[in-house]
Amino acid sequence: MIKYKLLCKNCELTFDSWFASSIEYDKLKKKKLINCHNCNSQKIEKSVMAPKLINGNYKIKEKSNLDKSS
């Protein structure tokens, strides 16, 4: 599953939506099955999203902090 932040180009509403994959989003967009729930426009685009990344060092620090609190 993938979550996209979508932007309606008609009313400028932003909303989140889940899709099975990026390919599934593209298929639905091509079939014009994605629309704004505010104004019903099909002028929907994906907006830029920053992925949440956690590196290995963070996990080690987090575990260390948990061990200290016990």
Side-chain angles (χ1 to χ4, degrees):
M1 295 291 287
I2 189 166
K3 178 180 164 184
Y4 285 127
K5 185 165 288 294
L6 302 177
L7 169 67
C8 175
K9 295 291 189 171
N10 188 51
C11 72
E12 298 185 6
L13 177 72
T14 59
F15 56 97
D16 295 337
S17 191
W18 288 91
F19 298 92
S21 66
S22 60
I23 294 169
E24 187 64 24
Y25 168 84
D26 293 336
K27 285 180 186 177
L28 293 171
K29 175 85 170 152
K30 186 175 181 180
K31 292 180 181 181
K32 299 184 179 187
L33 294 175
I34 301 174
N35 64 320
C36 176
H37 58 269
N38 186 49
C39 70
N40 210 31
S41 172
Q42 293 177 343
K43 296 177 184 175
I44 305 294
E45 298 296 329
K46 292 187 284 189
S47 65
V48 178
M49 290 183 67
K52 184 175 183 179
L53 302 175
I54 298 176
N55 64 23
N57 292 335
Y58 177 79
K59 290 179 184 176
I60 292 168
K61 288 178 188 175
E62 187 177 84
K63 185 178 183 316
S64 175
N65 288 340
L66 289 173
D67 291 342
K68 289 177 186 176
S69 66
S70 299

